[in-house]
């Protein structure tokens, strides 16, 4: 049994709705993410937003990051629950956008420069080198993004956001286009990022139910409701409560297999 | 005899400029600017919106975003546009020298040789124009790869 307690609200959405030229895309999206605490570990939060393609996941992703204003409702963050502003939530897009004219070191340094603070150049170099070593990127620091594989670019993109100091990071389809081994490595990386800081919160937007649920402590299912326009969160699974979070080899657990089947039914 | 459009253009530029050199340069610039501006606008138009969103999530202000994405980020492509426009300018130079003959040049040589049916000179001049054009293009290509090493990683060999 993984003992845990839930504390203050870190991110919440109240009646978020979005319309596109008269067509309702999202309707009454409500959720809260609370700070999870566990003894002896910086336990961050990992939430998965599961939904079929074209259901409005990417639009909700943009709303959560503050890049798009919803037509109704608000997304609030941090302990003071202020309305989310662009730049307060990091994003890792599906195609891992980086500055192609900058080396990996320079790309990471842009993230660190954006964090503010009073670090000296030597201190910044040390931080980047430590981070690169921790995430197996040391030998690539002098390379350009075009010289890296998709998985390596994804790692750089995630670490760039971490160095920016963003506690909330949204990942759009992080397992898409990766082979089985790379998916496992990405999952390990995400778990590592989530435990770097108590308030680190990763929101994974994906249609890969199994991999997303395997590392999450909460799963939201975004789907339409019968007779109502637009998509909303139709089901919320608290994996901590179900004792399915933070468990090694979770895929072999029968209850987890049943959970996946149940999620599929709600899609 | 009615004036042609080219004559009108030539007369306008002659009145606006003070020397044959200025006239030649002005005509060249006049001919190049539409190609250059439309190509530059196309480069900017093709920037992915997610690059600007990345800058937002990295908390860059508008000036930093402009610098990083449009100015420094597209400098290699601007250089490529300049390289292509140089090729257009190189072709245009013979016509411009034909309009402004006081300064001489390859265009003047070509027109005079053509006028006196010196086809060997015409052919020789065309070969020189061709070789110099290829050479300049090659040198600009080398310069682009030297200045922007990441370029050769993103273009098809």
């Amino acid at each position: 049994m993984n003992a845990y307690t839930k504390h203050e609200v870190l991110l919440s959405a109240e009646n978020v709705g979005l319309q596109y030229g008269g067509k309702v895309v999202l309707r009454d999206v409500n959720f809260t993410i609370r700070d999870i605490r566990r003894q002896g570990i910086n336990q961050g939060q990992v939430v998965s937003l599961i939904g079929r393609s074209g259901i409005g996941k990417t639009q909700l992703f943009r709303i959560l990051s503050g890049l798009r204003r919803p037509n109704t409702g608000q997304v609030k963050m941090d302990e003071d629950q202020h309305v989310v502003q662009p730049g307060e939530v990091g994003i890792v897009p599906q195609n891992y956008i980086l500055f192609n004219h900058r080396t990996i070191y320079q790309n990471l340094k842009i993230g660190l420069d954006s964090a503010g603070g009073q670090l000296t150049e030597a201190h910044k170099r040390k931080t980047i080198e430590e981070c690169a070593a921790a995430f197996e990127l040391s030998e690539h620091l002098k390379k350009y993004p075009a010289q890296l594989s998709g998985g390596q670019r994804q790692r750089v993109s995630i670490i760039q956001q971490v160095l920016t100091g963003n506690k909330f990071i949204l990942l759009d389809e992080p397992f898409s286009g990766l082979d089985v081994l790379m998916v496992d490595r990405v999952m390990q990386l995400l778990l590592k990022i989530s435990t770097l800081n108590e308030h680190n919160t990763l929101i994974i937007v994906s249609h890969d139910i199994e991999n997303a649920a395997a590392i999450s402590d909460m799963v939201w299912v975004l789907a339409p409701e019968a007779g109502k326009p637009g998509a909303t969160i139709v089901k919320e699974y608290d994996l901590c409560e179900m004792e399915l979070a933070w468990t090694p080899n979770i895929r072999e657990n029968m209850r987890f297999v049943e959970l996946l089947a149940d999620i599929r039914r709600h899609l | 005899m009615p004036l042609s459009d080219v004559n009108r253009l030539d007369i306008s530029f002659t009145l606006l400029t003070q020397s044959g050199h200025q006239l030649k340069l002005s005509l060249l610039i006049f001919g190049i600017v539409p190609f250059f501006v439309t190509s530059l606008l196309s480069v900017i138009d093709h920037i992915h919106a997610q690059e600007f969103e990345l800058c937002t999530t990295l908390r860059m202000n508008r000036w930093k975003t402009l610098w990083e994405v449009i100015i420094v980020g597209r400098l290699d492509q601007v250089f490529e546009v300049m390289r292509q426009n140089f090729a257009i300018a190189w072709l245009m130079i013979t016509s411009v020298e034909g309009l402004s003959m006081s300064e001489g040049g390859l265009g003047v040589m070509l027109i005079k040789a053509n006028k006196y049916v010196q086809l060997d000179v015409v052919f020789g001049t065309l070969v020189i124009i061709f070789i110099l054009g290829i050479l300049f293009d090659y040198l600009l290509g080398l310069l682009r790869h030297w200045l922007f090493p990441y370029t050769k990683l993103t273009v098809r060999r």
Side-chain angles (χ1 to χ4, degrees):
Chain A
M1 168 84 189
N2 292 304
Y4 71 95
T5 49
K6 287 201 173 187
H7 295 261
E8 70 275 13
V9 175
L10 297 177
L11 190 75
S12 66
E14 291 170 7
N15 301 318
V16 168
L18 181 72
Q19 290 186 13
Y20 245 175
K23 188 193 169 204
V24 180
V25 179
L26 297 169
R27 176 183 49 80
D28 297 333
V29 175
N30 291 288
F31 63 78
T32 52
I33 300 176
R34 290 180 178 276
D35 179 26
I36 299 171
R37 291 190 195 156
R38 287 169 74 199
Q39 194 76 32
I41 186 171
N42 281 329
Q43 184 59 61
Q45 296 62 235
V46 183
V47 179
S48 288
L49 178 66
I50 309 281
R52 287 183 309 193
S53 299
I55 201 75
K57 294 195 299 290
T58 304
Q59 293 310 320
L60 185 55
F61 178 95
R62 288 171 55 79
I63 290 171
L64 294 181
S65 63
L67 293 170
R68 186 182 184 117
R69 291 236 168 267
N71 295 108
T72 57
Q74 285 177 329
V75 178
K76 295 176 182 176
M77 65 182 290
D78 276 339
E79 290 169 44
D80 61 351
Q81 285 293 286
H82 64 271
V83 175
V84 66
Q85 296 298 320
E88 289 185 314
V89 176
I91 59 168
V92 179
Q94 195 174 351
N95 41 0
Y96 325 131
I97 299 276
L98 292 167
F99 297 112
N100 285 326
H101 59 286
R102 300 265 180 217
T103 61
I104 301 306
Y105 177 84
Q106 290 167 336
N107 264 285
L108 295 178
K109 189 166 177 291
I110 285 175
L112 201 53
D113 288 342
S114 306
Q118 302 295 320
L119 295 180
T120 62
E121 286 301 306
H123 200 149
K124 282 180 184 172
R125 174 169 284 278
K126 192 166 173 275
T127 306
I128 291 169
E129 283 172 354
E130 281 173 3
C131 223
F135 296 100
E136 298 167 45
L137 286 167
S138 296
E139 59 187 295
H140 305 299
L141 284 178
K142 287 181 182 166
K143 292 181 183 172
Y144 287 98
Q147 291 172 288
L148 301 191
S149 68
Q152 289 164 337
R153 283 171 65 95
Q154 186 190 44
R155 255 182 287 161
V156 176
S157 195
I158 295 170
I159 296 163
Q160 187 184 49
Q161 294 293 338
V162 172
L163 287 173
T164 308
N166 285 328
K167 297 278 186 288
F168 298 89
I169 300 177
L170 290 159
L171 300 110
D172 194 10
E173 302 288 358
F175 313 115
S176 174
L178 302 178
D179 62 49
V180 182
L181 286 176
M182 272 312 298
V183 166
D184 282 343
R185 288 186 67 183
V186 170
M187 287 167 72
Q188 292 307 316
L189 166 75
L190 296 181
L191 287 174
K192 198 168 175 178
I193 300 283
S194 73
T195 51
L196 286 177
N197 186 293
E198 180 61 45
H199 283 182
N200 273 5
T201 303
L202 304 180
I203 302 176
I204 299 168
V205 178
S206 179
H207 57 250
D208 184 337
I209 307 170
E210 185 178 337
N211 290 319
I215 55 166
S216 300
D217 51 68
M218 177 82 80
V219 174
W220 300 325
V221 179
L222 191 71
E225 281 181 319
K228 291 180 181 174
T232 189
I233 294 177
V234 292
K235 184 81 179 169
E236 189 175 285
Y237 296 91
D238 187 340
L239 304 197
C240 310
E241 207 175 276
M242 297 166 81
E243 295 179 24
L244 291 173
W246 321 301
T247 310
N249 304 322
I250 187 71
R251 288 190 183 93
E252 293 159 19
N253 186 321
M254 270 317 290
R255 284 178 42 241
F256 183 74
V257 176
E258 285 165 15
L259 168 78
L260 299 183
D262 197 52
I263 292 173
R264 278 194 195 93
R265 269 195 295 279
H266 283 95
L267 283 175
Chain B
M1 197 173 73
L3 286 172
S4 71
D5 288 345
V6 175
N7 291 140
R8 285 197 189 97
L9 187 71
D10 197 16
I11 291 167
S12 313
F13 273 83
T14 308
L15 290 171
L16 286 168
T17 52
Q18 289 168 346
S19 66
H21 185 68
Q22 262 191 20
L23 175 62
K24 201 159 88 174
L25 266 182
S26 309
L27 282 168
L28 260 182
I29 292 168
F30 180 78
I32 288 299
V33 162
F35 295 107
F36 191 68
V37 171
T38 49
S39 304
L40 270 188
L41 288 176
S42 170
V43 167
I44 294 169
D45 201 38
H46 280 86
I47 298 175
H48 204 293
Q50 282 184 330
E51 280 194 55
F52 294 104
E53 291 179 355
L54 172 69
C55 292
T56 306
T57 62
L58 293 174
R59 302 193 207 111
M60 290 181 178
N61 60 32
R62 286 184 177 197
W63 287 111
K64 189 90 198 292
T65 303
L66 175 78
W67 174 255
E68 205 59 55
V69 177
I70 298 178
I71 300 175
V72 185
R74 294 297 178 278
L75 213 50
D76 64 318
Q77 291 179 37
V78 171
F79 193 87
E80 183 61 23
V81 167
M82 282 166 64
R83 183 181 163 193
Q84 287 167 10
N85 277 268
F86 181 82
I88 299 168
W90 187 241
L91 285 177
M92 205 177 274
I93 204 161
T94 50
S95 331
V96 169
E97 283 175 351
L99 290 171
S100 166
M101 298 176 79
S102 63
E103 280 231 315
L106 285 169
V108 177
M109 275 173 66
L110 196 65
I111 287 166
K112 281 185 178 166
N114 191 41
K115 188 177 176 183
Y116 297 112
V117 204
Q118 295 169 312
L119 294 180
D120 52 338
V121 178
V122 170
F123 182 73
T125 312
L126 285 173
V127 169
I128 291 169
I129 290 172
F130 175 73
I131 292 171
L132 281 177
I134 294 281
L135 183 71
F136 281 134
D137 190 65
Y138 177 71
L139 289 175
L140 285 172
L142 283 183
L143 190 61
R144 185 189 180 201
H145 283 168
W146 180 68
L147 287 172
F148 314 106
Y150 51 88
T151 305
K152 62 173 179 275
L153 305 167
T154 50
V155 295
R156 195 188 301 169
R157 285 178 189 277

